Amino acid sequence: MVLGELVRLRALAPSDAESLWRWNNDPDVVRWMDAYYDQHLESVRKRLEAREPNSYADTLYGIEARDDGALVGLVRLRDARPESGCAELDLYIGEKDRWGHGYATDALRTMCRYGFDSMRLHKISLAVVTENHAAHHVYRKAGFVEEGRLRQSFHRDGRWYDQFTMGMLEGELR
């Protein structure tokens, strides 16, 4: 368990399946995420039951609000390699009534601090659709900088969008 100011990052459990299933079937929540394929609730539960424990290469945490213990989202460091000290970050808040209350910012900072301090990462990277202004704002506020632009690399609603590649080096977390 990893503690932030507003959130607690914890391992996921099969009992979290209903929340994940609901979020992944909400068009507002998955608007700027890579394609999600419909699954039955039981499939999500089985996937959580079969999930390997967190490892250096793939660390996935549920984001839990410290004030009431509610699961509000997910954060993940994936594709971590000790040889390069680099990892990719994914983050989303699934509970829409928690949007705009600082949970994403705190979860991002908490996970990055964990990555730099506990995993001894040197760099954390991510990609964000240029039209996802809320996420872009959160990433910049935490210290991520734009490193490039992937042209027309995300498809949604019959349209192609660009993505920013962003990165943060150890010592740049705000």
Side-chain angles (χ1 to χ4, degrees):
M1 192 174 309
V2 184
L3 294 177
E5 292 179 24
L6 299 175
V7 302
R8 176 182 304 112
L9 306 182
R10 63 160 176 83
L12 290 175
S15 59
D16 296 321
E18 188 172 328
S19 293
L20 273 63
W21 177 81
R22 185 171 33 83
W23 300 339
N24 289 333
N25 286 288
D26 184 324
D28 294 331
V29 173
V30 298
R31 172 89 178 117
W32 299 118
M33 293 169 51
D34 287 332
Y36 174 78
Y37 301 97
D38 288 334
Q39 293 183 350
H40 294 286
L41 174 58
E42 191 56 34
S43 298
V44 176
R45 187 172 286 112
K46 285 180 182 177
R47 192 176 72 227
L48 286 174
E49 288 171 355
R51 181 170 164 69
E52 294 290 322
N54 281 339
S55 66
Y56 187 88
D58 186 14
T59 303
L60 173 66
Y61 284 126
I63 302 167
E64 192 175 85
R66 287 186 66 175
D67 60 356
D68 64 5
L71 184 68
V72 300
L74 300 175
V75 63
R76 181 181 194 184
L77 284 172
R78 60 178 168 79
D79 304 325
R81 296 181 317 273
E83 304 83 26
S84 66
C86 298
E88 298 286 325
L89 183 128
D90 300 311
L91 167 74
Y92 77 101
I93 303 297
E95 294 296 337
K96 293 190 291 189
D97 65 340
R98 305 293 179 120
W99 291 0
H101 295 277
Y103 293 106
T105 301
D106 190 45
L108 176 66
R109 287 179 174 141
T110 302
M111 189 62 148
C112 287
R113 191 171 51 252
Y114 174 81
F116 292 131
D117 295 348
S118 298
M119 295 174 67
R120 298 184 5 200
L121 292 173
H122 176 67
K123 182 178 183 177
I124 298 173
S125 301
L126 59 87
V128 60
V129 178
T130 55
E131 299 296 317
N132 189 349
H133 303 295
H136 188 249
H137 172 75
V138 167
Y139 297 141
R140 288 185 58 80
K141 182 167 52 170
F144 279 86
V145 297
E146 293 169 18
E147 297 181 330
R149 187 179 194 112
L150 302 171
R151 297 179 313 136
Q152 297 186 9
S153 58
F154 183 86
H155 192 262
R156 181 70 73 232
D157 301 329
R159 181 174 166 210
W160 288 99
Y161 294 90
D162 292 356
Q163 289 181 299
F164 292 123
T165 58
M166 301 183 80
M168 179 191 297
L169 301 175
E170 84 185 288
E172 294 179 339
L173 179 62
R174 291 188 234 147

